[in-house]
């Protein structure tokens, strides 16, 4: 689906360290959209965010359909920092009568929540991750194969079943040739 392949590394000296995981203890997931929340899961918390994602890409008369299972595991290291493991998981691709199946690469990262929203001042977090080429050979570094800028319009809905369970659905539309034409996803996020 979406690769967040830009590395954010910044000198953050002087930023406030008093930010918290959320005063009301309602789960905040990084699903189902392109942009992650600045919030972290909180010290000692585990949060699993997973989905079933279908994409269709028509380029130069060829149609490729891909089914993936994007998954993000978030582990609270402190009230302002979390460890993250993310993958597109099991991947099945149908193209031109042929089918390839395997596993996508995994990325490892950290998120640091540095400031809560205060009036008109937005909440702020930093995300740093590295993509590790550990997936099936056919699916390694798929994002780099597309090259250049990807442009997408997406929309989604979420339903907070309880403070620790969220269901979601999303639809995306590619806006250029480097982005899949259509994507549909259904997701589940759980926290303990």
């Amino acid at each position: 689906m979406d690769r967040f392949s830009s590395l954010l590394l910044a000198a953050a000296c002087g930023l406030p360290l008093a930010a918290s995981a959320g005063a009301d203890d309602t789960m905040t997931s990084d699903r189902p959209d392109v942009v992650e929340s600045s919030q972290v899961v909180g010290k000692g918390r585990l949060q699993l965010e997973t989905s079933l994602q279908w994409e269709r890409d028509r380029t130069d008369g060829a149609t490729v359909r891909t089914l993936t299972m994007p998954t993000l595991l978030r582990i609270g290291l402190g009230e302002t920092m979390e460890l993250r493991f993310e993958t597109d998981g099991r991947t099945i691709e149908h193209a031109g009568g042929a089918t390839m199946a395997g596993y996508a690469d995994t990325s490892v990262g950290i998120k640091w929540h540095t400031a809560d929203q205060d009036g008109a001042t937005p909440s702020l977090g930093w995300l740093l991750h590295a993509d590790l080429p550990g997936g099936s050979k056919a699916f390694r570094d798929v994002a780099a194969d597309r090259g250049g800028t990807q442009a997408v319009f997406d929309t989604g809905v979420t339903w907070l079943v309880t403070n620790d369970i969220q269901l979601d659905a999303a639809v995306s539309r590619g806006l250029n040739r480097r982005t899949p034409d259509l994507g549909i996803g259904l997701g589940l996020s759980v926290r303990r």
Side-chain angles (χ1 to χ4, degrees), residues 63 84 113 167 171:
T63 300
R84 302 162 60 89
H113 179 77
L167 300 174
V171 176

Side-chain angles (χ1 to χ4, degrees), residues 41-45 75-84 109-110:
V41 296
K43 184 177 182 177
R45 292 280 188 141
I75 303 167
L77 300 177
E79 291 305 319
T80 62
M81 189 167 289
E82 70 183 27
L83 178 62
R84 302 162 60 89
I110 58 171

Side-chain angles (χ1 to χ4, degrees), residues 40-91:
V40 296
V41 296
K43 184 177 182 177
R45 292 280 188 141
L46 293 175
Q47 187 163 308
L48 179 67
E49 303 175 12
T50 190
S51 67
L52 189 60
Q53 177 74 27
W54 175 85
E55 291 180 339
R56 181 195 68 208
D57 193 13
R58 293 181 182 157
T59 305
D60 300 327
T63 300
V64 177
R65 290 180 180 84
T66 307
L67 185 65
T68 59
M69 296 182 63
T71 301
L72 170 62
L73 176 63
R74 301 167 65 186
I75 303 167
L77 300 177
E79 291 305 319
T80 62
M81 189 167 289
E82 70 183 27
L83 178 62
R84 302 162 60 89
F85 297 93
E86 187 170 15
T87 182
D88 276 343
R90 179 73 174 159
T91 302

